[in-house]
């Protein structure tokens, strides 16, 4: 699997991929091998091993300091040549979506993009990759029986990372991918970081999620207040995004992000199947809805039937009181 790091920081999706790779490898009786590319990235290997990798192939080169398609493609292609894996996984991130098709084309193999689940087919041992198709109206399961390696990109937030086990042992291999300056087919003159604070709802531990039931863009205060006391983030259903109440990056669901927070609070969300697909794996789900028949209650651990504009301020007040009591202990 390809390990994604940016400016020396491991991306959460990499640990999720290792967790999934571990599960698949155990089923096949194979090893989990992480490919790590960058400059001065050796410090990240311990975290990869403690989260489930058996071996880490490190390509450490000044040429690979910043992500660039060609040097990274060359490195991954060379690692595949060396280890001959059955399966190669990438995060379905902007980097993974750029890199994986190139690698697949160089190996003349198939790639299933943007998967939401992976399984091993009984008997053949083939990888079965499932992803939404035809505008999200069906789930397609795709296999690549004739070519190797089998390749998939996996949506961030879908797979579960394993807890770190610092006692796990693994091997680190410094791999020479023979990168040279000539591999840089583009020159990065300047890197400009976006200054507006983009919210990554996939990383949040607590999501207070808005549905059409909130009632309008000027009615979010109770959700903002609750998110503030819970150190959480406000996300939303597609109805709130389509109405322009929240930016697209905050959409939860089949055509939005898949999230798995510790706490997901669905406020005025009916619980359509396309919404549930993005949040039903959350650790604990609380739903507030006026309609006792709303399907969201079927996946909720706690359901409150009521007007969210009345319920949420009361919940926020109670949490504040509890936090104060805790602080004064
Ligand atoms: C191909 C496809 C892909 C899709 N992808 C997604 C996706 O990624 N994510 C997604 O979310 N949807 C997606 N949808 C849309 C989905 O089918 C639903 O239309 C959408 O999730 C509905 O959003 P909602 O629950 O906010 O609104 P509604 O279904 O309109 O529900 C509003 C709820 O709020 C309740 N309510 C109203 N007022 C209050 C109040 N004051 N207090 C408490 N409760 C109140 C109502 O009882 C109701 O249950 C997709 C649809 C298709 C066809």
């Amino acid at each position: 699997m390809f390990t994604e790091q940016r400016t020396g920081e491991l991306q959460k999706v990499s640990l999720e991929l290792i967790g999934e790779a571990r599960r698949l490898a155990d089923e096949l009786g194979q090893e989990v091998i992480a490919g790590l590319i960058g400059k001065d990235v050796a410090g990240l290997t311990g975290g990869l091993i403690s989260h489930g990798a058996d071996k880490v192939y490190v390509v450490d080169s000044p040429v690979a300091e910043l992500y660039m398609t060609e040097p990274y493609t060359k490195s991954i292609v060379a690692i595949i040549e060396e280890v001959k894996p059955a399966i190669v996984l990438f995060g379905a991130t902007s980097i993974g979506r750029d890199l994986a098709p190139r690698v697949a084309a160089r190996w003349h193999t198939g790639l299933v993009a943007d998967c939401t689940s992976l399984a091993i087919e009984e008997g053949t041992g083939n990888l079965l990759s499932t992803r939404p198709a035809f505008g999200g109206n069906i789930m397609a399961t795709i296999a690549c029986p004739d070519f190797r390696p089998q390749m998939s990109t996996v949506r961030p937030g879908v797979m579960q990372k394993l807890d770190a086990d610092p006692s796990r042992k693994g091997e680190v291999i410094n791999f020479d991918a023979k990168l040279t300056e000539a591999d840089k087919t583009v020159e990065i003159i300047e890197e400009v970081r976006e200054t507006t604070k983009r919210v990554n709802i996939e990383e949040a531990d607590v999501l207070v999620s808005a549905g059409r039931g909130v009632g309008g863009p000027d009615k979010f205060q109770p959700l903002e207040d609750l998110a503030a006391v819970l150190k959480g983030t406000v996300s939303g259903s597609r109805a709130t995004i389509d109405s322009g109440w929240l930016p697209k990056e905050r959409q939860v669901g089949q055509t939005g992000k898949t999230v798995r927070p510790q706490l997901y609070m669905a406020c005025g969300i009916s619980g359509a199947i396309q919404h549930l697909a993005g949040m039903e794996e959350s650790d604990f789900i609380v739903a507030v809805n006026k309609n006792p028949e709303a399907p969201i209650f079927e996946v909720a651990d706690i359901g409150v039937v009521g007007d969210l504009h009345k319920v949420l301020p009361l919940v926020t007040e109670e949490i504040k009181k509890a936090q104060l009591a805790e602080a004064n202990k």
Side-chain angles (χ1 to χ4, degrees):
M1 48 137 317
F2 168 67
T3 310
E4 197 166 320
Q5 58 81 26
R6 292 184 192 201
T7 54
E9 250 181 63
L10 267 188
Q11 300 298 293
K12 199 174 160 191
V13 67
S14 301
L15 301 182
E16 294 166 2
L17 283 185
I18 293 182
E20 183 64 5
R22 181 77 272 155
R23 190 180 67 75
L24 298 172
D26 288 346
E27 216 168 304
L28 291 167
Q30 297 193 358
E31 291 180 313
V32 174
I33 298 174
L36 175 63
I37 304 162
K39 180 172 174 273
D40 301 329
V41 287
L44 301 177
T45 55
L48 298 174
I49 291 169
S50 67
H51 279 91
D54 296 306
K55 289 182 180 158
V56 185
Y57 275 67
V58 184
V59 176
D60 208 315
S61 162
V63 177
E65 181 170 9
L66 295 174
Y67 175 75
M68 245 184 256
T69 311
E70 186 51 36
Y72 275 60
T73 304
K74 187 174 170 186
S75 302
I76 292 287
V77 166
I79 295 173
I80 293 174
E81 174 86 62
E82 175 80 10
V83 303
K84 309 247 172 342
I87 298 170
V88 184
L89 304 179
F90 298 78
T93 59
S94 47
I95 288 182
R97 285 173 195 204
D98 181 63
L99 187 57
R102 300 263 175 164
V103 175
R106 298 238 173 132
W107 271 98
H108 189 66
T109 187
L111 167 69
V112 187
D114 221 8
C115 298
T116 51
S117 80
L118 300 173
I120 302 296
E121 188 176 43
E122 255 187 62
T124 64
N126 285 335
L127 178 69
L128 299 178
S129 305
T130 301
R131 53 152 297 155
F134 297 108
N137 288 309
I138 62 158
M139 298 301 279
T141 297
I142 301 163
C144 175
D146 298 330
F147 295 96
R148 290 292 181 269
Q150 303 158 93
M151 290 185 36
S152 299
T153 64
V154 178
R155 280 196 186 192
V158 177
M159 305 304 177
Q160 203 153 19
K161 69 171 184 174
L162 300 173
D163 289 337
D165 173 0
S167 67
R168 271 195 106 257
K169 295 268 172 292
E171 199 183 334
V172 176
I173 297 112
N174 289 314
F175 186 72
D176 182 5
K178 307 210 167 17
L179 296 182
T180 66
E181 284 295 320
D183 292 319
K184 290 186 174 177
T185 45
V186 292
E187 189 187 347
I188 298 178
I189 296 165
E190 192 188 358
E191 217 190 356
V192 182
R193 294 197 178 258
E194 199 174 17
T195 46
T196 55
K197 195 170 168 283
R198 273 180 79 86
V199 175
N200 188 356
I201 58 171
E202 290 152 310
E203 305 271 340
D205 290 331
V206 176
L207 285 175
V208 178
S209 212
R212 204 194 312 268
V214 169
D218 51 344
K219 298 197 172 140
F220 273 69
Q221 202 55 50
L223 289 90
E224 299 284 358
D225 292 345
L226 181 57
V229 294
L230 291 171
K231 296 197 171 47
T233 305
V234 173
S235 55
S237 70
R238 179 156 146 186
T240 62
I241 278 72
D242 288 351
S243 306
W245 303 350
L246 285 174
K248 171 77 182 160
E249 71 199 33
R250 301 214 191 188
Q251 183 186 326
V252 173
Q254 195 178 300
T255 42
K257 304 252 177 82
T258 305
V259 296
R260 197 191 272 266
Q262 289 166 16
L263 172 63
Y264 187 86
M265 296 208 52
C267 310
I269 294 177
S270 58
I273 185 82
Q274 297 89 354
H275 186 80
L276 301 185
M279 48 63 74
E280 62 193 342
E281 296 296 323
S282 304
D283 291 348
F284 199 83
I285 299 170
V286 179
V288 184
N289 198 302
K290 279 204 306 203
N291 176 6
E293 306 295 327
I296 191 73
F297 288 129
E298 283 164 34
V299 299
D301 295 285
I302 293 182
V304 183
V305 179
D307 181 346
L308 69 94
H309 291 288
K310 295 194 179 127
V311 175
L312 296 191
L314 297 176
V315 175
T316 306
E317 273 320 300
E318 285 305 313
I319 293 171
K320 275 189 191 161
K321 274 190 220 160
Q323 286 174 340
L324 201 63
E326 189 64 27
N328 291 336
K329 257 188 192 169

